[in-house]
Amino acid sequence: MHLGLIGLGRMGGNIARRLMRDGHSVAVYDVDAKARQALADDGATAVDSLAGFVQALPAPRAVWVMVPAGEITEKTVQELAGLLEKGDTIIDGGNSNWHDDVRRAKQLSEQGLHYIDVGTSGGVWGLERGYCMMIGGDKAVVDRLDPIFKTLAPGAGDVEKTPNREKHDPRAELGYLHTGPAGSGHFVKMVHNGIEYGLMQAYAEGFDVMRNRNQANLPEGERFDLNMADIAEVWRRGSVVSSWLLDLCSIALAKDPGLENFSGFVNDSGEGRWTIEAAIEEAVPAEVLTAALYTRFRSRQEHTYAEKMLSAMRLGFGGHVEGKQ
């Protein structure tokens, strides 16, 4: 299939490469000429203006926007809306607020355009591992674009099949899913990221407890000098708490057991806050997720080993380099 992709950063560039690797034709645009050229060298059609970018795509066009959520995404979507034709589709694959998706879908439908929101998980590893995608929008449009999503998804791999799934959507087993109408994809991804906060916090606190077991103020016979890197590694191998996040912990600790290269300053990208807002709106208790978010706020004032562990995981899955305060 043909796809246009705007935004060639950490994820956008690799999305384009994964698609081309499977035989799709990709036109790309980015304000950074070097980023455009790098994708052109890999086989993409690189264009130096939005107008030229739209003209480079056959109708009905599908344009994937992969730029930072917020003002930049809004501006890009609105500019595209003025250039595209009836029947074309805009896909937002960033971390937009789902309320914005609902609004944009309504606005664009009045112009005869389709809007798809794709919650995209996979970070800097997506080129090789694939991207887990939660997709909101009109079913007919999502089904038409299925070859794009299937290529980007991780696939079944060697994950053991879940029993009794015969009546459920088989795409979920491949790592992508049509979740419902516009906005639902980013809503599910928002909650996914809220859960991510809680999981990361649990690992961070657990490693901090183990690391501090060798303090001088503890009874001598009850002190343990535990090897964090080895514990992370053994937990990866068949433990009930094994996960990709734990894999990233093990990678970071093997390289830097004291996490000396991390400041402990931990950012939040917005989805955690939105998840808590949704929980409040629905009167759903979310104590763990709320506490994990507040810990990130506190990390910007004082830094512990646990916060350094959080920074290490964020660098591992998303390439996030935390500010040093």
Side-chain angles (χ1 to χ4, degrees), residues 10-323:
R10 288 192 298 258
M11 291 179 68
N14 282 342
I15 285 174
R17 292 182 177 94
R18 188 171 174 92
L19 287 169
M20 290 188 294
R21 200 163 64 180
D22 199 36
H24 299 280
S25 297
V26 182
V28 297
Y29 172 74
D30 193 286
V31 294
D32 184 346
K34 291 183 179 179
R36 296 197 303 265
Q37 186 58 51
L39 264 295
D41 292 343
D42 287 339
T45 300
V47 188
D48 61 5
S49 71
L50 272 183
F53 171 79
V54 169
Q55 291 303 312
L57 293 167
R61 301 170 184 83
V63 179
W64 186 302
V65 178
M66 203 67 183
V67 298
E71 183 179 349
I72 299 176
T73 294
E74 185 67 28
K75 180 180 178 182
T76 303
V77 169
Q78 297 306 328
E79 287 188 25
L80 281 171
L83 295 168
L84 295 173
E85 301 173 344
K86 288 184 178 181
D88 292 346
T89 301
I90 296 176
I91 305 167
D92 178 8
N95 281 325
S96 289
N97 189 304
W98 65 276
H99 290 100
D100 292 330
D101 296 315
V102 174
R103 170 179 54 79
R104 290 178 193 141
K106 183 176 185 299
Q107 172 210 331
L108 295 177
S109 70
E110 294 170 353
Q111 299 176 231
L113 300 173
H114 304 294
Y115 182 86
I116 303 293
D117 57 289
V118 181
T120 311
S121 180
V124 296
W125 300 71
L127 177 60
E128 300 303 326
R129 290 175 60 106
Y131 301 90
C132 175
M133 291 168 291
M134 296 133 269
I135 307 164
D138 183 76
K139 183 179 185 302
V141 180
V142 173
D143 288 348
R144 179 169 61 82
L145 296 173
D146 187 78
I148 295 292
F149 301 130
K150 189 172 183 179
T151 287
L152 293 176
D158 57 1
V159 178
E160 185 177 350
K161 289 181 70 68
T162 301
N164 304 314
R165 278 202 49 86
E166 291 77 11
K167 297 181 179 180
H168 295 278
D169 191 334
R171 291 173 295 187
E173 295 180 346
L174 302 178
Y176 70 111
L177 181 68
H178 179 218
T179 54
S184 66
H186 278 148
F187 182 86
V188 174
K189 176 58 162 53
M190 173 191 77
V191 177
H192 163 284
N193 284 23
I195 293 171
E196 178 184 287
Y197 281 34
L199 291 173
M200 292 173 67
Q201 188 62 33
Y203 284 126
E205 292 178 7
F207 280 102
D208 206 7
V209 170
M210 290 187 292
R211 179 178 178 271
N212 282 286
R213 195 62 226 175
N214 201 32
Q215 294 183 64
N217 63 324
L218 295 173
E220 185 175 355
E222 297 179 7
R223 300 175 203 160
F224 306 131
D225 186 10
L226 300 171
N227 187 304
M228 298 296 100
D230 287 348
I231 291 169
E233 186 65 23
V234 75
W235 281 358
R236 291 182 61 211
R237 310 292 175 169
S239 162
V240 72
V241 299
S242 60
S243 72
W244 185 31
L245 287 172
L246 185 59
D247 294 346
L248 297 174
C249 291
S250 184
I251 291 169
L253 289 167
K255 183 177 181 181
D256 180 11
L259 302 179
E260 301 298 333
N261 291 318
F262 295 92
S263 69
F265 181 100
V266 187
N267 280 310
D268 68 286
S269 52
E271 298 92 334
R273 301 186 190 208
W274 301 339
T275 303
I276 304 310
E277 290 172 2
I280 293 170
E281 184 180 38
E282 300 162 13
V284 172
E287 298 97 330
V288 172
L289 308 190
T290 303
L293 176 64
Y294 285 171
T295 296
R296 296 196 178 195
F297 296 163
R298 183 189 52 73
S299 78
R300 297 159 206 174
Q301 300 171 0
E302 54 179 302
H303 314 313
T304 68
Y305 187 83
E307 272 87 57
K308 292 182 179 183
M309 192 76 257
L310 291 175
S311 289
M313 283 184 271
R314 279 173 55 81
L315 178 65
F317 67 71
H320 303 290
V321 178
E322 311 286 6

